[in-house]
């Protein structure tokens, strides 16, 4: 607004200085060219009319500029308010817990964010990525025999074991009720079988403790690999392939792992 007022004052000042000078020069030219006596009142009147016209135009121009500036300032204020609201939402999201309360693994939202980030890294670095959907077998039977607390104990102890054997750059998240999503960057097809067997052994070789009694549990694994050179870059497609492999693994019986075909 100050800029508009400053320009308006300068425009008026320039008009006030130049127009009378122009009028006097025009009048002098008329006087030198005309053989008859010059009507100075008429000449000055015309100059004043021209000056008044220019000043009126400058007045409305300055009003228009002021209106445009007011509109822009309002839009800027509205956009600033929107950005502040978005910032508040982001700050709220950052404060939300990213760990699952039962298992202390990543919660579903966090593990999905990690998957997306690792897929982007894989595309950027042209490296492979592996994921595993690990499901504890027969949770329904465990629930019938030991109740919800028994299921929680099995899921919690399974998560502790998985977290204990993961590499520093691997990630484990509580994906569904009895399912864990494991993200394995730097997937190596040659060492993958040993890695999958290690996960199966971690989940099933040692009994879980439910109450005061040991309980042998098994698991089923659905494995899928992502190659950025040939595979779809969407997490949904990778998860769908892992889920299909998990269904085949469960159909083959407990304590099995199936790798999704390429």
């Amino acid at each position: 607004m100050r800029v508009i007022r400053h320009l308006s004052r300068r425009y008026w000042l320039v008009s006030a200085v130049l127009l009378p000078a122009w009028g006097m020069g025009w009048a002098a030219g008329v006087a030198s060219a005309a053989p008859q006596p010059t009507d100075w009142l008429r000449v000055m009147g015309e100059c004043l009319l021209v000056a008044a016209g220019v000043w009126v135009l400058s007045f409305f121009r300055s009003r228009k500029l002021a209106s445009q500036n007011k509109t822009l300032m309002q839009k800027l204020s509205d956009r600033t308010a929107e950005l502040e609201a978005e910032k508040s939402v982001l700050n709220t999201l950052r404060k939300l817990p990213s760990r699952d309360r039962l298992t202390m693994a990543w919660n579903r939202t966090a593990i999905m964010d990690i998957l997306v980030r690792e897929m982007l890294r894989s595309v950027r670095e042209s490296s492979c990525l592996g994921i595993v959907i690990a499901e504890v077998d027969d949770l329904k039977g465990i629930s019938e025999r030991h109740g919800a607390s028994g299921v929680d104990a099995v899921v919690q102890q399974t998560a502790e074991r998985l977290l204990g054997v993961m590499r520093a750059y691997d990630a484990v998240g509580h994906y569904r009720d009895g399912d864990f999503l494991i993200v394995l960057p730097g997937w190596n097809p040659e060492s993958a079988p040993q890695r999958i067997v290690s996960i199966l052994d971690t989940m099933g070789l040692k009994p879980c403790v439910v109450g005061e009694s040991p309980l042998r549990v098994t698991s089923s694994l659905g494995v899928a690999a992502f190659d950025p050179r040939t595979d779809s870059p969407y997490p949904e497609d990778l998860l769908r392939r892992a889920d299909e492999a998990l269904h085949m693994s469960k159909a083959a019986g407990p304590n099995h792992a199936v790798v999704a075909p390429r």
Side-chain angles (χ1 to χ4, degrees), residues 104-141:
M104 293 309 295
W106 297 112
N107 61 27
R108 181 183 174 89
T109 301
I111 194 64
M112 289 300 296
D113 288 342
I114 292 172
L115 175 59
V116 171
R117 185 172 68 246
E118 291 299 334
M119 288 188 71
L120 291 174
R121 186 202 301 271
S122 180
V123 171
R124 185 171 63 251
E125 299 178 356
S126 296
S127 60
C128 292
L129 171 72
I131 68 167
V132 178
I133 297 181
E135 180 177 303
V136 178
D137 292 328
D138 196 28
L139 277 182
K140 183 178 179 181

Side-chain angles (χ1 to χ4, degrees), residues 72-122:
L72 290 175
M73 293 299 292
Q74 183 61 44
K75 290 182 179 179
L76 178 61
S77 177
D78 294 342
R79 183 54 182 160
T80 301
E82 292 176 2
L83 291 175
E84 288 296 330
E86 292 175 2
K87 181 179 178 181
S88 176
V89 172
L90 289 175
N91 288 334
T92 302
L93 291 176
R94 291 191 184 101
K95 294 177 182 178
L96 293 176
S98 56
R99 293 285 181 176
D100 179 67
R101 293 182 180 180
L102 174 64
T103 64
M104 293 309 295
W106 297 112
N107 61 27
R108 181 183 174 89
T109 301
I111 194 64
M112 289 300 296
D113 288 342
I114 292 172
L115 175 59
V116 171
R117 185 172 68 246
E118 291 299 334
M119 288 188 71
L120 291 174
R121 186 202 301 271
S122 180

Side-chain angles (χ1 to χ4, degrees), residues 24-248:
M24 295 298 293
W26 178 78
V30 171
S32 62
Q36 66 275 12
T38 303
D39 187 352
W40 289 102
L41 292 177
R42 180 179 60 81
V43 171
M44 294 305 297
E46 292 177 354
C47 291
L48 290 175
L49 286 175
V50 172
V54 173
W55 288 337
V56 168
L57 289 176
S58 66
F59 172 77
F60 285 106
R61 178 60 178 169
S62 64
R63 289 288 299 272
K64 182 178 180 181
L65 290 175
S67 177
Q68 292 176 347
N69 182 70
K70 183 178 180 181
T71 302
L72 290 175
M73 293 299 292
Q74 183 61 44
K75 290 182 179 179
L76 178 61
S77 177
D78 294 342
R79 183 54 182 160
T80 301
E82 292 176 2
L83 291 175
E84 288 296 330
E86 292 175 2
K87 181 179 178 181
S88 176
V89 172
L90 289 175
N91 288 334
T92 302
L93 291 176
R94 291 191 184 101
K95 294 177 182 178
L96 293 176
S98 56
R99 293 285 181 176
D100 179 67
R101 293 182 180 180
L102 174 64
T103 64
M104 293 309 295
W106 297 112
N107 61 27
R108 181 183 174 89
T109 301
I111 194 64
M112 289 300 296
D113 288 342
I114 292 172
L115 175 59
V116 171
R117 185 172 68 246
E118 291 299 334
M119 288 188 71
L120 291 174
R121 186 202 301 271
S122 180
V123 171
R124 185 171 63 251
E125 299 178 356
S126 296
S127 60
C128 292
L129 171 72
I131 68 167
V132 178
I133 297 181
E135 180 177 303
V136 178
D137 292 328
D138 196 28
L139 277 182
K140 183 178 179 181
I142 296 174
S143 177
E144 291 173 351
R145 294 190 300 270
H146 302 281
S149 60
V151 172
D152 289 346
V154 169
V155 171
Q156 185 179 35
Q157 292 173 52
T158 302
E160 290 176 356
R161 295 172 186 177
L162 287 174
L163 292 170
V165 299
M166 291 295 117
R167 300 169 298 183
Y169 46 87
D170 295 335
V172 180
H174 196 184
Y175 182 54
R176 290 184 295 239
D177 291 339
D179 295 357
F180 296 93
L181 175 59
I182 306 171
V183 180
L184 304 171
W187 182 258
N188 184 353
E190 296 180 356
S191 61
Q194 294 81 7
R195 184 69 173 152
I196 300 306
V197 170
S198 174
I199 294 175
L200 273 175
D201 291 344
T202 297
M203 297 181 70
L205 284 183
K206 183 179 178 181
C208 293
V209 178
V210 179
E212 297 181 355
S213 304
L215 177 65
R216 172 72 186 276
V217 296
T218 59
S219 60
S220 299
L221 307 184
V223 185
F226 171 68
D227 188 337
R229 296 166 296 184
T230 57
D231 295 332
S232 166
Y234 299 104
E236 296 81 4
D237 293 336
L238 184 60
L239 290 168
R240 175 184 52 78
R241 290 171 50 215
D243 262 326
E244 292 173 353
L246 177 63
H247 292 321
M248 289 188 284

